[in-house]
């Protein structure tokens, strides 16, 4: 049996709904796992301090992720379909807001992909899905190159700001404690750190540098933009599943 491993990128700003979407896809896609980019952030002790505002900067692309570690992990996942055993995730410690989808949507796509899995197994191919979600997913070219599908969720500034302020914090790695610690945003962190870093990391992949409205400029090949407020989560799941189904069908026919 030949194994085919497919990496699905789900990118977007903090609080854009990318992790929620990723978790719905994991429930639908048979033989699937999630890799969270947040888990490749450096330990809290090593996060750089912003030169102007004097607070730790968890968001600027250069220092927010340990890129060699993430690239190595994705190479391993791409080769085996299994998350490396030494990888530790803190996602289960974070606040989990349930954004449900219609059960008819869930059942439809779950059945559809189970049928696809059966068809491919009958042809001697075992499919494994790896969903990679992250707020800087399309910044590093070696990460982008590993992704077979590239989805990007966009939500307007004010909505993201409100959602971020409603969060109670993020669990992050620390060198002394495997469970990590809780990070809470200092005053004005969104305006001074988070949003400027998001713009800086993404203005190069959209037309006119417009991260809220610009179309993909082709720098990230095959990037599909979804406006998060124009679609319900059920619609978002359906649209992404359609993309995945079309993509795997087309590759099988070629």
């Amino acid at each position: 049996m030949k194994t085919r491993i497919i990496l699905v990128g789900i990118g977007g700003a903090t609080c854009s709904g990318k992790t929620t979407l990723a978790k719905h896809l994991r429930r639908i896609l048979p033989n699937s796992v999630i890799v969270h980019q947040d888990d490749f952030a450096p330990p809290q002790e090593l996060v750089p301090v912003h030169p102007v505002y004097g607070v730790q900067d968890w968001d600027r692309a250069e220092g927010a992720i340990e890129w060699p570690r993430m690239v190595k992990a994705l190479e391993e996942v791409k080769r085996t379909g299994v998350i490396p055993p030494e990888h530790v995730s803190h996602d289960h410690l974070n606040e989990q807001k349930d954004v449900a989808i219609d059960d008819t949507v869930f059942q439809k796509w779950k059945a559809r992909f189970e049928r696809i899995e059966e068809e491919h197994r009958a042809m001697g191919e075992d499919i494994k899905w790896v969903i990679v979600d992250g707020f800087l997913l399309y910044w590093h070219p070696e990460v982008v190159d590993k992704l077979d599908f590239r989805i990007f969720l966009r939500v307007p500034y004010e909505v993201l700001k409100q959602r971020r302020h409603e969060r109670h914090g993020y669990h992050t790695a620390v060198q002394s404690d495997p469970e990590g610690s809780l990070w809470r945003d200092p005053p004005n962190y969104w305006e001074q750190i988070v949003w400027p870093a998001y713009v800086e990391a993404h203005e190069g992949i959209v037309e006119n540098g417009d991260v809220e409205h610009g179309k993909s400029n082709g720098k990230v090949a095959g990037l599909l933009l979804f406006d998060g407020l124009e679609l319900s989560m059920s619609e978002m799941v359906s649209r992404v599943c359609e993309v995945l189904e079309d993509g795997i069908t087309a590759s099988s026919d070629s």
Side-chain angles (χ1 to χ4, degrees):
M1 183 75 68
K2 175 186 174 184
T3 300
R4 180 179 176 189
I5 299 162
I6 303 172
L7 269 61
V8 180
I10 306 292
T14 176
C15 303
S16 60
K18 60 189 179 301
T19 303
T20 300
L21 173 59
K23 290 179 178 179
H24 283 304
L25 292 175
R26 183 180 58 186
R27 291 175 58 227
I28 288 170
L29 297 172
N31 210 5
S32 63
V33 296
I34 297 181
V35 175
H36 300 286
Q37 187 177 42
D38 286 356
D39 293 326
F40 297 95
Q44 186 168 341
E45 300 93 330
L46 302 181
V47 173
V49 173
H50 194 281
V52 175
Y53 300 111
V55 297
Q56 286 187 301
D57 185 348
W58 290 89
D59 288 83
R60 193 163 190 267
E62 288 84 352
I65 299 297
E66 293 182 333
W67 294 105
R69 182 162 65 93
M70 183 174 185
V71 170
K72 182 180 178 182
L74 291 184
E75 287 174 346
E76 179 77 4
V77 172
K78 188 84 170 175
R79 185 176 63 83
T80 66
V82 177
I83 296 174
E86 67 273 14
H87 180 70
V88 176
S89 178
H90 296 92
D91 180 72
H92 64 287
L93 298 172
N94 289 322
E95 181 181 5
Q96 309 284 331
K97 285 195 174 181
D98 183 31
V99 181
I101 61 172
D102 295 339
D103 189 59
T104 52
V105 170
F106 169 73
Q107 296 296 343
K108 168 190 171 181
W109 286 109
K110 185 173 175 59
R112 189 84 58 91
F113 279 100
E114 285 175 348
R115 186 174 73 248
I116 289 172
E117 180 188 39
E118 292 171 1
E119 291 171 352
H120 280 258
R121 288 187 68 85
M123 296 186 292
E125 184 175 66
D126 184 25
I127 296 176
K128 292 186 177 182
W129 299 90
V130 180
I131 306 153
V132 187
D133 88 288
F135 70 113
L136 290 169
L137 208 53
Y138 304 113
W139 184 79
H140 196 292
E142 289 187 74
V143 170
V144 174
D145 287 346
K146 303 289 185 294
L147 305 173
D148 300 293
F149 294 90
R150 298 157 186 173
I151 310 294
F152 188 69
L153 274 58
R154 291 199 299 200
V155 174
Y157 172 94
E158 291 296 339
V159 176
L160 292 172
K161 178 181 177 180
Q162 181 64 31
R163 290 179 181 177
R164 178 81 178 208
H165 287 169
E166 290 173 354
R167 280 208 170 166
H168 299 302
Y170 293 85
H171 278 270
T172 63
V174 294
Q175 293 175 317
S176 58
D177 184 355
E179 287 295 291
S181 68
L182 184 66
W183 161 267
R184 298 183 188 276
D185 289 350
N188 302 312
Y189 193 75
W190 166 265
E191 296 85 351
Q192 295 173 345
I193 306 289
V194 178
W195 182 254
Y198 169 72
V199 172
E200 181 183 12
H202 295 90
E203 60 187 354
I205 67 173
V206 291
E207 292 180 352
N208 303 316
D210 185 352
V211 297
E212 291 196 90
H213 307 104
K215 296 179 181 179
S216 172
N217 62 13
K219 183 176 180 181
V220 174
L223 185 67
L224 299 175
L225 301 176
F226 291 94
D227 289 306
L229 291 192
E230 296 180 5
L231 300 169
S232 68
M233 185 55 67
S234 292
E235 292 169 329
M236 187 85 70
V237 167
S238 288
R239 292 278 294 276
V240 173
C241 284
E242 287 170 4
V243 169
L244 300 183
E245 181 186 37
D246 290 345
I248 195 169
T249 301
S251 62
S252 298
D253 294 339
S254 60

